[in-house]
Amino acid sequence: MDWERIAADTPGAAERVFLDSAGSSLPPTPVLDVVTGHLRREAEIGGYRAAHERAEDLDQVKVSLGALLGAPAHAIALTDSATRAWTQVFYAIPLKPGEKILLSGVEYASNAVAALHRAQDDGAVVEVVPSDPVGQIDLDALAGMLDERVRIVSLVHVPTNGGLVNPVREVAELAHAQGAFVLLDACQSVGQLHVDVTELGVDALSGTGRKWLRGPRGTGFLYVRPDLISSLEPPVIDLHSAAWLSQHSYTLSEDATRFELWECNVAANLGLGAAVDYLLGFEIQEVAHAVGTRAGRLRAALAEIPRVRVRDLGRRQCGIVSFTVDGVDPAAIRDELADQGITVTISPRASTLLDMQARGLPAVVRASPHYFVRPGQLDSAITAVAAIAAGHH
Ligand SMILES: *Cc1c(COP(=O)(O)O)cnc(C)c1O
């Protein structure tokens, strides 16, 4: 990877230690330029003409996302968040009373409450697939829980509160053998890991722009398997997702635009495209390696510090490092590190309630180094955490 160019494109990472790409990463300069450039153009000639000028580039956003995910552009929808993407397809899957939704043990809160909402409204039954002793989804337990009443299997690829990577392909194979729809929350994996929808065998996938892709906030995307699109009716439609034909009829768009709404932040969508193109300028395996080695180094060093407990589970791990310090509130650690120019965040119990409850954790500190973090900066963070752990003793 071209480290000089990466550093030049990421001025925010020069002075400060940025370890929150799992929360909201630092967009590289080309992304910022595209977004601000478009906002300026809107101020000159108005949003409609400005968008018209960039019509081809806007189409290209889905082509780029498709290239990243191994999918055709017409199978991609742009949304304003990962949650919007996830819910647009989740609520489109028909459920009869007594039919089941299976969630993963590290399910994200927004997915879980939507599932409970459908249990309440449609009489669906929500069950949680336990995690195995290593923390990944328990495939044997899943196999035992799958029957013909299971309609949806929701899996989180990488949870929001730790570095484990769930085995997607194995889950998809088991679920498909029973005819269930496999919905993958790839919010924390796209941008840091190689994610290919065909290799993974999922029916739909949701993701966000602002995390590992280094795109703007307020962007998200959805992939839906092309042959399934026509069977899915999104819960919310408008004149973009559907065509109004007559007083009594409309027809839904044939491709994944049926999951979109017309109005959107055009500048942000162009910025998302620029972020994906920026990533495609690297080998994704090199990105994954750079992220993995940084996180691995951080994890190993933190584990050596007295009173620091690394909380990551999983056989396969990635760029999220979660930890606690005995006797110190995770929020206080975040704030003390922020005072020293080190950005981390906390993942509270409520974001992954079942997993955190099972482990008796009220919150964890989450450090998520992207490839642009320099190894020396990791050492500063390690030293700072060690000082906090020693100081509060
Ligand atoms: C951040 C996150 C989400 C939600 O993404 P939004 O863009 O905020 O809707 C969903 N799932 C996981 C695992 C996340 O970490």
Side-chain angles (χ1 to χ4, degrees):
M1 294 178 76
D2 183 347
W3 299 112
E4 268 176 39
R5 179 181 146 223
I6 288 165
D9 289 343
T10 316
E15 303 282 300
R16 298 181 198 83
V17 180
F18 188 82
L19 304 175
D20 191 24
S21 287
S24 193
S25 193
L26 305 179
T29 312
V31 171
L32 196 60
D33 289 347
V34 164
V35 175
T36 55
H38 192 74
L39 290 175
R40 280 206 196 85
R41 193 65 180 144
E42 287 183 337
E44 284 164 9
I45 60 168
Y48 285 12
R49 276 186 62 195
H52 186 68
E53 283 180 349
R54 302 299 299 272
E56 277 176 30
D57 297 320
L58 284 164
D59 289 343
Q60 197 59 34
V61 178
K62 292 184 197 179
V63 175
S64 295
L65 273 167
L68 183 69
L69 301 173
H74 65 83
I76 307 280
L78 300 182
T79 60
D80 54 2
S81 76
T83 300
R84 184 88 67 187
W86 194 93
T87 49
Q88 275 294 84
V89 70
F90 173 74
Y91 281 93
I93 302 164
L95 283 174
K96 295 196 201 76
E99 291 188 328
K100 294 186 204 167
I101 304 166
L102 301 190
L103 303 179
S104 38
V106 292
E107 200 69 41
Y108 189 67
S110 299
N111 307 351
V113 295
L116 295 174
H117 185 211
R118 292 206 69 184
Q120 189 181 289
D121 276 16
D122 303 321
V125 176
V126 178
E127 293 181 351
V128 177
V129 184
S131 301
D132 70 15
V134 191
Q136 301 183 170
I137 187 167
D138 187 328
L139 295 171
D140 292 332
L142 171 65
M145 293 170 79
L146 281 163
D147 59 34
E148 66 292 338
R149 281 165 60 207
V150 176
R151 302 304 322 143
I152 304 174
V153 174
S154 169
L155 180 64
V156 176
H157 199 180
V158 170
T160 208
N161 67 332
L164 76 88
V165 184
N166 266 320
V168 181
R169 198 189 163 83
E170 292 82 345
V171 169
E173 277 169 10
L174 288 169
H176 284 152
Q178 285 293 341
F181 189 101
V182 178
L183 175 50
L184 184 68
D185 175 343
C187 222
Q188 293 292 3
S189 55
V190 173
Q192 67 150 321
L193 299 176
H194 171 72
V195 176
D196 181 293
V197 291
T198 317
E199 281 172 26
L200 295 175
V202 296
D203 299 315
L205 170 154
S206 59
T208 182
R210 74 177 184 277
K211 296 178 180 176
W212 298 95
L213 279 177
R214 309 182 64 194
R217 293 205 63 174
T219 57
F221 54 90
L222 173 68
Y223 156 81
V224 181
R225 219 176 81 191
D227 56 315
L228 296 176
I229 292 175
S230 64
S231 65
L232 296 165
E233 291 194 21
V236 180
I237 58 171
D238 73 356
L239 80 182
H240 169 79
S241 37
W244 188 17
L245 300 178
S246 71
Q247 188 183 345
H248 300 290
S249 64
Y250 66 89
T251 179
L252 285 167
S253 140
E254 308 238 310
D255 62 17
T257 56
R258 71 167 57 193
F259 300 99
E260 298 177 339
L261 295 178
W262 185 82
E263 175 56 353
C264 60
N265 185 334
V266 175
N269 282 353
L270 287 169
L272 174 64
V276 174
D277 289 341
Y278 192 81
L279 177 64
L280 290 171
F282 307 115
E283 289 292 334
I284 185 69
Q285 299 294 8
E286 284 191 62
V287 168
H289 179 75
V291 171
T293 52
R294 281 158 179 73
R297 175 179 176 144
L298 188 56
R299 212 175 269 130
L302 290 173
E304 296 296 315
I305 302 173
R307 288 175 294 283
V308 174
R309 291 170 202 271
V310 172
R311 300 294 184 174
D312 294 326
L313 304 174
R315 216 162 278 118
R316 181 176 169 212
Q317 295 183 323
C318 63
I320 298 182
V321 180
S322 59
F323 65 96
T324 55
V325 179
D326 292 352
V328 191
D329 178 7
I333 298 170
R334 174 197 60 200
D335 296 344
E336 283 191 41
L337 291 174
D339 288 344
Q340 300 175 49
I342 301 167
T343 302
V344 298
T345 191
I346 60 168
S347 191
R349 173 176 284 202
S351 291
T352 41
L353 182 73
L354 301 180
D355 174 53
M356 296 290 270
Q357 256 174 353
R359 295 198 276 153
L361 295 169
V364 292
V365 184
R366 183 179 67 185
S368 44
H370 218 321
Y371 58 79
F372 57 72
V373 176
R374 295 192 307 279
Q377 295 184 308
L378 294 174
D379 297 337
S380 311
I382 292 157
T383 306
V385 173
I388 291 170
H392 284 266
H393 183 48

